[in-house]
mmCIF file of all heavy atoms in Angstrom:
data_model
loop_
_atom_site.group_PDB
_atom_site.id
_atom_site.type_symbol
_atom_site.label_atom_id
_atom_site.label_comp_id
_atom_site.label_asym_id
_atom_site.label_seq_id
_atom_site.Cartn_x
_atom_site.Cartn_y
_atom_site.Cartn_z
ATOM 1 N N GLY A 963 -16.142 -10.510 1.784
ATOM 2 C CA GLY A 963 -15.713 -9.151 1.657
ATOM 3 C C GLY A 963 -14.409 -9.085 0.954
ATOM 4 O O GLY A 963 -13.612 -10.054 0.821
ATOM 5 N N GLY A 964 -14.077 -7.924 0.397
ATOM 6 C CA GLY A 964 -12.812 -7.821 -0.284
ATOM 7 C C GLY A 964 -12.547 -6.383 -0.759
ATOM 8 O O GLY A 964 -13.513 -5.492 -0.637
ATOM 9 N N GLY A 965 -11.455 -6.070 -1.336
ATOM 10 C CA GLY A 965 -11.196 -4.763 -1.899
ATOM 11 C C GLY A 965 -9.791 -4.686 -2.344
ATOM 12 O O GLY A 965 -9.131 -5.655 -2.663
ATOM 13 N N GLY A 966 -9.362 -3.432 -2.541
ATOM 14 C CA GLY A 966 -8.001 -3.227 -2.980
ATOM 15 C C GLY A 966 -7.745 -1.794 -3.482
ATOM 16 O O GLY A 966 -8.605 -0.960 -3.368
ATOM 17 N N ARG A 967 -6.602 -1.645 -4.075
ATOM 18 C CA ARG A 967 -6.230 -0.263 -4.611
ATOM 19 C C ARG A 967 -6.581 -0.072 -6.062
ATOM 20 O O ARG A 967 -6.387 -1.061 -6.889
ATOM 21 C CB ARG A 967 -4.656 -0.107 -4.329
ATOM 22 C CG ARG A 967 -4.147 1.286 -4.770
ATOM 23 C CD ARG A 967 -2.812 1.543 -4.268
ATOM 24 N NE ARG A 967 -2.718 1.816 -2.831
ATOM 25 C CZ ARG A 967 -2.948 2.958 -2.310
ATOM 26 N NH1 ARG A 967 -3.117 4.085 -3.070
ATOM 27 N NH2 ARG A 967 -2.886 3.201 -1.090
ATOM 28 N N TYR A 968 -7.186 1.077 -6.353
ATOM 29 C CA TYR A 968 -7.591 1.303 -7.715
ATOM 30 C C TYR A 968 -7.142 2.803 -8.092
ATOM 31 O O TYR A 968 -7.962 3.675 -8.168
ATOM 32 C CB TYR A 968 -9.036 1.057 -7.953
ATOM 33 C CG TYR A 968 -10.000 1.918 -6.939
ATOM 34 C CD1 TYR A 968 -10.610 3.076 -7.304
ATOM 35 C CD2 TYR A 968 -10.184 1.379 -5.602
ATOM 36 C CE1 TYR A 968 -11.410 3.707 -6.369
ATOM 37 C CE2 TYR A 968 -10.976 1.972 -4.719
ATOM 38 C CZ TYR A 968 -11.614 3.174 -5.129
ATOM 39 O OH TYR A 968 -12.425 3.889 -4.164
ATOM 40 N N ASP A 969 -5.901 3.016 -8.359
ATOM 41 C CA ASP A 969 -5.306 4.330 -8.528
ATOM 42 C C ASP A 969 -5.635 5.052 -9.858
ATOM 43 O O ASP A 969 -5.266 6.147 -9.993
ATOM 44 C CB ASP A 969 -3.731 4.257 -8.306
ATOM 45 C CG ASP A 969 -3.372 4.116 -6.873
ATOM 46 O OD1 ASP A 969 -4.256 4.251 -5.948
ATOM 47 O OD2 ASP A 969 -2.207 3.760 -6.610
ATOM 48 N N GLU A 970 -6.227 4.283 -10.736
ATOM 49 C CA GLU A 970 -6.378 4.856 -12.123
ATOM 50 C C GLU A 970 -7.830 5.167 -12.399
ATOM 51 O O GLU A 970 -8.144 5.764 -13.518
ATOM 52 C CB GLU A 970 -5.877 3.902 -13.212
ATOM 53 C CG GLU A 970 -4.298 3.746 -13.010
ATOM 54 C CD GLU A 970 -3.714 2.681 -13.912
ATOM 55 O OE1 GLU A 970 -4.546 2.088 -14.662
ATOM 56 O OE2 GLU A 970 -2.575 2.394 -13.839
ATOM 57 N N MET A 971 -8.813 4.703 -11.558
ATOM 58 C CA MET A 971 -10.192 4.945 -11.911
ATOM 59 C C MET A 971 -10.719 6.319 -11.932
ATOM 60 O O MET A 971 -11.332 6.795 -12.884
ATOM 61 C CB MET A 971 -11.101 4.054 -10.994
ATOM 62 C CG MET A 971 -12.563 4.094 -11.443
ATOM 63 S SD MET A 971 -13.750 3.273 -10.331
ATOM 64 C CE MET A 971 -13.322 1.638 -10.675
ATOM 65 N N ILE A 972 -10.362 7.145 -10.951
ATOM 66 C CA ILE A 972 -10.872 8.470 -10.828
ATOM 67 C C ILE A 972 -10.311 9.353 -12.018
ATOM 68 O O ILE A 972 -10.994 10.284 -12.487
ATOM 69 C CB ILE A 972 -10.506 9.076 -9.468
ATOM 70 C CG1 ILE A 972 -11.263 8.304 -8.306
ATOM 71 C CG2 ILE A 972 -10.879 10.528 -9.407
ATOM 72 C CD1 ILE A 972 -10.893 8.675 -6.938
ATOM 73 N N GLY A 973 -9.064 9.036 -12.459
ATOM 74 C CA GLY A 973 -8.463 9.691 -13.505
ATOM 75 C C GLY A 973 -9.304 9.604 -14.767
ATOM 76 O O GLY A 973 -9.184 10.495 -15.728
ATOM 77 N N LYS A 974 -10.070 8.582 -14.971
ATOM 78 C CA LYS A 974 -10.957 8.400 -16.143
ATOM 79 C C LYS A 974 -12.026 9.472 -16.151
ATOM 80 O O LYS A 974 -12.552 9.774 -17.209
ATOM 81 C CB LYS A 974 -11.511 6.953 -16.185
ATOM 82 C CG LYS A 974 -10.452 5.878 -16.342
ATOM 83 C CD LYS A 974 -11.020 4.560 -16.432
ATOM 84 C CE LYS A 974 -10.049 3.464 -16.481
ATOM 85 N NZ LYS A 974 -9.049 3.575 -17.597
ATOM 86 N N PHE A 975 -12.335 9.963 -14.959
ATOM 87 C CA PHE A 975 -13.346 11.054 -14.866
ATOM 88 C C PHE A 975 -12.722 12.510 -14.931
ATOM 89 O O PHE A 975 -13.225 13.430 -15.471
ATOM 90 C CB PHE A 975 -14.143 10.966 -13.541
ATOM 91 C CG PHE A 975 -15.016 9.805 -13.500
ATOM 92 C CD1 PHE A 975 -14.519 8.578 -12.921
ATOM 93 C CD2 PHE A 975 -16.337 9.820 -13.891
ATOM 94 C CE1 PHE A 975 -15.385 7.441 -12.815
ATOM 95 C CE2 PHE A 975 -17.151 8.625 -13.837
ATOM 96 C CZ PHE A 975 -16.702 7.559 -13.267
ATOM 97 N N THR A 976 -11.496 12.601 -14.337
ATOM 98 C CA THR A 976 -10.896 13.913 -14.241
ATOM 99 C C THR A 976 -9.722 14.229 -15.163
ATOM 100 O O THR A 976 -9.351 15.378 -15.362
ATOM 101 C CB THR A 976 -10.338 14.144 -12.746
ATOM 102 O OG1 THR A 976 -9.273 13.198 -12.556
ATOM 103 C CG2 THR A 976 -11.483 13.860 -11.767
ATOM 104 N N GLY A 977 -9.104 13.182 -15.692
ATOM 105 C CA GLY A 977 -7.954 13.273 -16.483
ATOM 106 C C GLY A 977 -6.604 13.262 -15.718
ATOM 107 O O GLY A 977 -5.468 13.136 -16.193
ATOM 108 N N ASN A 978 -6.809 13.278 -14.320
ATOM 109 C CA ASN A 978 -5.617 13.136 -13.448
ATOM 110 C C ASN A 978 -5.831 11.984 -12.406
ATOM 111 O O ASN A 978 -6.924 12.042 -11.752
ATOM 112 C CB ASN A 978 -5.417 14.489 -12.644
ATOM 113 C CG ASN A 978 -5.169 15.627 -13.535
ATOM 114 O OD1 ASN A 978 -4.261 15.665 -14.332
ATOM 115 N ND2 ASN A 978 -5.945 16.713 -13.475
ATOM 116 N N ASP A 979 -4.935 11.099 -12.465
ATOM 117 C CA ASP A 979 -5.048 9.967 -11.553
ATOM 118 C C ASP A 979 -5.075 10.404 -10.100
ATOM 119 O O ASP A 979 -4.290 11.328 -9.659
ATOM 120 C CB ASP A 979 -3.944 8.947 -11.708
ATOM 121 C CG ASP A 979 -4.207 8.191 -13.036
ATOM 122 O OD1 ASP A 979 -5.208 8.213 -13.557
ATOM 123 O OD2 ASP A 979 -3.184 7.573 -13.516
ATOM 124 N N VAL A 980 -5.888 9.753 -9.200
ATOM 125 C CA VAL A 980 -5.919 9.998 -7.766
ATOM 126 C C VAL A 980 -5.772 8.647 -7.111
ATOM 127 O O VAL A 980 -6.417 7.628 -7.418
ATOM 128 C CB VAL A 980 -7.312 10.606 -7.401
ATOM 129 C CG1 VAL A 980 -7.406 10.751 -5.880
ATOM 130 C CG2 VAL A 980 -7.474 11.994 -8.034
ATOM 131 N N CYS A 981 -4.940 8.602 -6.108
ATOM 132 C CA CYS A 981 -4.676 7.387 -5.378
ATOM 133 C C CYS A 981 -5.978 6.974 -4.647
ATOM 134 O O CYS A 981 -6.503 7.836 -3.963
ATOM 135 C CB CYS A 981 -3.576 7.565 -4.314
ATOM 136 S SG CYS A 981 -2.022 7.985 -5.070
ATOM 137 N N ALA A 982 -6.334 5.744 -4.720
ATOM 138 C CA ALA A 982 -7.596 5.316 -4.083
ATOM 139 C C ALA A 982 -7.517 3.896 -3.673
ATOM 140 O O ALA A 982 -6.914 3.083 -4.404
ATOM 141 C CB ALA A 982 -8.744 5.508 -5.053
ATOM 142 N N CYS A 983 -8.145 3.566 -2.532
ATOM 143 C CA CYS A 983 -8.105 2.214 -1.977
ATOM 144 C C CYS A 983 -9.354 1.977 -1.220
ATOM 145 O O CYS A 983 -9.839 2.899 -0.481
ATOM 146 C CB CYS A 983 -6.862 1.946 -1.113
ATOM 147 S SG CYS A 983 -6.496 0.250 -0.744
ATOM 148 N N GLY A 984 -10.008 0.756 -1.310
ATOM 149 C CA GLY A 984 -11.238 0.546 -0.692
ATOM 150 C C GLY A 984 -11.378 -0.867 -0.228
ATOM 151 O O GLY A 984 -10.724 -1.789 -0.665
ATOM 152 N N PHE A 985 -12.346 -1.022 0.692
ATOM 153 C CA PHE A 985 -12.653 -2.420 1.333
ATOM 154 C C PHE A 985 -14.123 -2.496 1.537
ATOM 155 O O PHE A 985 -14.763 -1.537 2.012
ATOM 156 C CB PHE A 985 -11.934 -2.542 2.648
ATOM 157 C CG PHE A 985 -11.643 -4.023 2.987
ATOM 158 C CD1 PHE A 985 -10.550 -4.271 3.889
ATOM 159 C CD2 PHE A 985 -12.381 -5.080 2.522
ATOM 160 C CE1 PHE A 985 -10.272 -5.613 4.192
ATOM 161 C CE2 PHE A 985 -12.041 -6.332 2.877
ATOM 162 C CZ PHE A 985 -11.011 -6.600 3.763
ATOM 163 N N SER A 986 -14.734 -3.538 0.950
ATOM 164 C CA SER A 986 -16.166 -3.793 1.003
ATOM 165 C C SER A 986 -16.465 -5.038 1.820
ATOM 166 O O SER A 986 -15.832 -6.099 1.487
ATOM 167 C CB SER A 986 -16.809 -3.869 -0.292
ATOM 168 O OG SER A 986 -18.208 -4.232 -0.283
ATOM 169 N N ILE A 987 -17.356 -5.005 2.797
ATOM 170 C CA ILE A 987 -17.775 -6.224 3.451
ATOM 171 C C ILE A 987 -19.093 -6.778 2.826
ATOM 172 O O ILE A 987 -19.912 -5.985 2.343
ATOM 173 C CB ILE A 987 -17.962 -5.999 4.978
ATOM 174 C CG1 ILE A 987 -19.131 -5.058 5.258
ATOM 175 C CG2 ILE A 987 -16.687 -5.633 5.674
ATOM 176 C CD1 ILE A 987 -19.682 -5.073 6.610
ATOM 177 N N GLY A 988 -19.244 -8.045 2.869
ATOM 178 C CA GLY A 988 -20.414 -8.674 2.336
ATOM 179 C C GLY A 988 -21.538 -8.631 3.332
ATOM 180 O O GLY A 988 -21.767 -9.570 4.164
ATOM 181 N N PHE A 989 -22.188 -7.449 3.339
ATOM 182 C CA PHE A 989 -23.154 -7.195 4.356
ATOM 183 C C PHE A 989 -24.224 -8.309 4.441
ATOM 184 O O PHE A 989 -24.633 -8.750 5.587
ATOM 185 C CB PHE A 989 -23.923 -5.829 4.029
ATOM 186 C CG PHE A 989 -24.936 -5.411 4.981
ATOM 187 C CD1 PHE A 989 -24.643 -4.705 6.080
ATOM 188 C CD2 PHE A 989 -26.291 -5.782 4.758
ATOM 189 C CE1 PHE A 989 -25.645 -4.333 7.059
ATOM 190 C CE2 PHE A 989 -27.309 -5.402 5.595
ATOM 191 C CZ PHE A 989 -26.922 -4.694 6.764
ATOM 192 N N GLU A 990 -24.781 -8.730 3.250
ATOM 193 C CA GLU A 990 -25.855 -9.713 3.219
ATOM 194 C C GLU A 990 -25.284 -11.068 3.876
ATOM 195 O O GLU A 990 -26.051 -11.763 4.461
ATOM 196 C CB GLU A 990 -26.365 -9.930 1.775
ATOM 197 C CG GLU A 990 -26.863 -8.650 1.109
ATOM 198 C CD GLU A 990 -28.230 -8.174 1.829
ATOM 199 O OE1 GLU A 990 -28.749 -8.851 2.493
ATOM 200 O OE2 GLU A 990 -28.632 -7.079 1.424
ATOM 201 N N ARG A 991 -24.058 -11.386 3.555
ATOM 202 C CA ARG A 991 -23.524 -12.666 3.970
ATOM 203 C C ARG A 991 -23.314 -12.665 5.459
ATOM 204 O O ARG A 991 -23.527 -13.555 6.227
ATOM 205 C CB ARG A 991 -22.245 -12.967 3.269
ATOM 206 C CG ARG A 991 -22.573 -13.257 1.718
ATOM 207 C CD ARG A 991 -21.301 -13.524 0.900
ATOM 208 N NE ARG A 991 -21.740 -13.770 -0.470
ATOM 209 C CZ ARG A 991 -20.840 -14.092 -1.435
ATOM 210 N NH1 ARG A 991 -19.544 -14.122 -1.161
ATOM 211 N NH2 ARG A 991 -21.344 -14.291 -2.735
ATOM 212 N N ILE A 992 -22.897 -11.365 5.952
ATOM 213 C CA ILE A 992 -22.640 -11.273 7.409
ATOM 214 C C ILE A 992 -24.027 -11.449 8.239
ATOM 215 O O ILE A 992 -24.088 -12.192 9.156
ATOM 216 C CB ILE A 992 -22.059 -9.859 7.712
ATOM 217 C CG1 ILE A 992 -20.643 -9.780 7.143
ATOM 218 C CG2 ILE A 992 -22.081 -9.513 9.193
ATOM 219 C CD1 ILE A 992 -19.638 -10.721 7.760
ATOM 220 N N VAL A 993 -25.016 -10.802 7.619
ATOM 221 C CA VAL A 993 -26.356 -10.833 8.285
ATOM 222 C C VAL A 993 -26.875 -12.376 8.218
ATOM 223 O O VAL A 993 -27.397 -12.817 9.188
ATOM 224 C CB VAL A 993 -27.316 -9.878 7.577
ATOM 225 C CG1 VAL A 993 -28.712 -10.222 8.005
ATOM 226 C CG2 VAL A 993 -26.993 -8.426 7.874
ATOM 227 N N MET A 994 -26.604 -12.954 7.023
ATOM 228 C CA MET A 994 -27.033 -14.456 6.916
ATOM 229 C C MET A 994 -26.422 -15.329 7.968
ATOM 230 O O MET A 994 -27.107 -16.125 8.560
ATOM 231 C CB MET A 994 -26.716 -14.889 5.485
ATOM 232 C CG MET A 994 -27.198 -16.328 5.291
ATOM 233 S SD MET A 994 -26.466 -16.954 3.749
ATOM 234 C CE MET A 994 -24.816 -17.194 4.205
ATOM 235 N N LEU A 995 -25.110 -15.058 8.207
ATOM 236 C CA LEU A 995 -24.424 -15.870 9.144
ATOM 237 C C LEU A 995 -24.909 -15.618 10.594
ATOM 238 O O LEU A 995 -25.010 -16.594 11.368
ATOM 239 C CB LEU A 995 -22.873 -15.596 9.077
ATOM 240 C CG LEU A 995 -22.206 -16.133 7.769
ATOM 241 C CD1 LEU A 995 -20.798 -15.645 7.751
ATOM 242 C CD2 LEU A 995 -22.273 -17.616 7.677
ATOM 243 N N LEU A 996 -25.205 -14.356 10.893
ATOM 244 C CA LEU A 996 -25.659 -14.017 12.163
ATOM 245 C C LEU A 996 -27.131 -14.683 12.458
ATOM 246 O O LEU A 996 -27.367 -15.167 13.525
ATOM 247 C CB LEU A 996 -25.800 -12.561 12.431
ATOM 248 C CG LEU A 996 -24.447 -11.769 12.464
ATOM 249 C CD1 LEU A 996 -24.649 -10.322 12.548
ATOM 250 C CD2 LEU A 996 -23.649 -12.271 13.700
ATOM 251 N N LEU A 997 -27.936 -14.638 11.395
ATOM 252 C CA LEU A 997 -29.183 -15.326 11.468
ATOM 253 C C LEU A 997 -29.109 -16.833 11.700
ATOM 254 O O LEU A 997 -29.828 -17.465 12.536
ATOM 255 C CB LEU A 997 -30.036 -14.999 10.161
ATOM 256 C CG LEU A 997 -30.693 -13.704 10.079
ATOM 257 C CD1 LEU A 997 -31.115 -13.467 8.637
ATOM 258 C CD2 LEU A 997 -31.883 -13.560 10.999
ATOM 259 N N GLU A 998 -28.190 -17.406 11.000
ATOM 260 C CA GLU A 998 -27.918 -18.867 11.145
ATOM 261 C C GLU A 998 -27.412 -19.187 12.527
ATOM 262 O O GLU A 998 -27.610 -20.277 13.098
ATOM 263 C CB GLU A 998 -26.967 -19.360 10.059
ATOM 264 C CG GLU A 998 -27.503 -19.345 8.783
ATOM 265 C CD GLU A 998 -26.611 -19.787 7.721
ATOM 266 O OE1 GLU A 998 -25.337 -19.937 7.973
ATOM 267 O OE2 GLU A 998 -26.966 -19.960 6.380
ATOM 268 N N ARG A 999 -26.701 -18.242 13.167
ATOM 269 C CA ARG A 999 -26.268 -18.464 14.495
ATOM 270 C C ARG A 999 -27.330 -18.251 15.602
ATOM 271 O O ARG A 999 -26.991 -18.374 16.816
ATOM 272 C CB ARG A 999 -25.118 -17.445 14.802
ATOM 273 C CG ARG A 999 -23.822 -17.667 14.104
ATOM 274 C CD ARG A 999 -22.784 -16.563 14.628
ATOM 275 N NE ARG A 999 -21.530 -16.711 14.038
ATOM 276 C CZ ARG A 999 -20.535 -15.925 14.433
ATOM 277 N NH1 ARG A 999 -20.782 -14.922 15.341
ATOM 278 N NH2 ARG A 999 -19.324 -15.979 13.728
ATOM 279 N N GLU A 1000 -28.430 -17.699 15.121
ATOM 280 C CA GLU A 1000 -29.483 -17.276 16.051
ATOM 281 C C GLU A 1000 -29.005 -16.136 16.947
ATOM 282 O O GLU A 1000 -29.320 -16.133 18.122
ATOM 283 C CB GLU A 1000 -30.069 -18.477 16.904
ATOM 284 C CG GLU A 1000 -30.685 -19.543 15.938
ATOM 285 C CD GLU A 1000 -31.376 -20.661 16.721
ATOM 286 O OE1 GLU A 1000 -31.269 -20.591 17.959
ATOM 287 O OE2 GLU A 1000 -32.002 -21.550 16.169
ATOM 288 N N PHE A 1001 -28.283 -15.220 16.316
ATOM 289 C CA PHE A 1001 -27.771 -14.068 17.036
ATOM 290 C C PHE A 1001 -28.862 -13.258 17.690
ATOM 291 O O PHE A 1001 -29.839 -13.004 17.055
ATOM 292 C CB PHE A 1001 -26.916 -13.292 16.060
ATOM 293 C CG PHE A 1001 -26.333 -11.987 16.574
ATOM 294 C CD1 PHE A 1001 -25.201 -12.093 17.447
ATOM 295 C CD2 PHE A 1001 -26.954 -10.788 16.356
ATOM 296 C CE1 PHE A 1001 -24.597 -10.883 17.919
ATOM 297 C CE2 PHE A 1001 -26.393 -9.617 16.835
ATOM 298 C CZ PHE A 1001 -25.258 -9.661 17.616
ATOM 299 N N GLN A 1002 -28.661 -12.859 18.913
ATOM 300 C CA GLN A 1002 -29.557 -12.016 19.602
ATOM 301 C C GLN A 1002 -28.934 -10.542 19.699
ATOM 302 O O GLN A 1002 -27.880 -10.383 20.178
ATOM 303 C CB GLN A 1002 -29.864 -12.553 20.964
ATOM 304 C CG GLN A 1002 -30.611 -13.950 20.914
ATOM 305 C CD GLN A 1002 -31.938 -13.852 20.339
ATOM 306 O OE1 GLN A 1002 -32.741 -12.844 20.467
ATOM 307 N NE2 GLN A 1002 -32.252 -14.800 19.436
ATOM 308 N N VAL A 1003 -29.712 -9.630 19.173
ATOM 309 C CA VAL A 1003 -29.244 -8.260 19.252
ATOM 310 C C VAL A 1003 -29.145 -7.816 20.693
ATOM 311 O O VAL A 1003 -30.207 -7.811 21.422
ATOM 312 C CB VAL A 1003 -30.071 -7.334 18.412
ATOM 313 C CG1 VAL A 1003 -29.767 -5.856 18.604
ATOM 314 C CG2 VAL A 1003 -30.076 -7.717 16.955
ATOM 315 N N PRO A 1004 -28.007 -7.309 21.154
ATOM 316 C CA PRO A 1004 -27.928 -6.795 22.547
ATOM 317 C C PRO A 1004 -28.690 -5.443 22.580
ATOM 318 O O PRO A 1004 -28.527 -4.654 21.732
ATOM 319 C CB PRO A 1004 -26.394 -6.644 22.721
ATOM 320 C CG PRO A 1004 -25.789 -6.460 21.424
ATOM 321 C CD PRO A 1004 -26.689 -7.268 20.470
ATOM 322 N N THR A 1005 -29.502 -5.292 23.612
ATOM 323 C CA THR A 1005 -30.186 -4.054 23.787
ATOM 324 C C THR A 1005 -30.122 -3.606 25.256
ATOM 325 O O THR A 1005 -30.351 -4.417 26.168
ATOM 326 C CB THR A 1005 -31.655 -4.148 23.301
ATOM 327 O OG1 THR A 1005 -32.370 -2.928 23.597
ATOM 328 C CG2 THR A 1005 -32.463 -5.344 23.992
ATOM 329 N N ALA A 1006 -29.823 -2.323 25.440
ATOM 330 C CA ALA A 1006 -29.811 -1.772 26.798
ATOM 331 C C ALA A 1006 -31.194 -1.357 27.290
ATOM 332 O O ALA A 1006 -31.416 -1.349 28.535
ATOM 333 C CB ALA A 1006 -28.927 -0.489 26.778
ATOM 334 N N ALA A 1007 -32.115 -1.159 26.378
ATOM 335 C CA ALA A 1007 -33.443 -0.741 26.771
ATOM 336 C C ALA A 1007 -34.258 -1.875 27.255
ATOM 337 O O ALA A 1007 -34.209 -3.006 26.744
ATOM 338 C CB ALA A 1007 -34.072 -0.025 25.546
#
């Protein structure tokens, strides 16, 4: 996963810069690691 600040991207659409920051997790890699651990989904039902 990773991310960061990108304060100039939205301005390319609007002409005015907007402060922006984001973080993305590697969903597929997280799921892969859980599968390799033989993770069991907790269920109350």
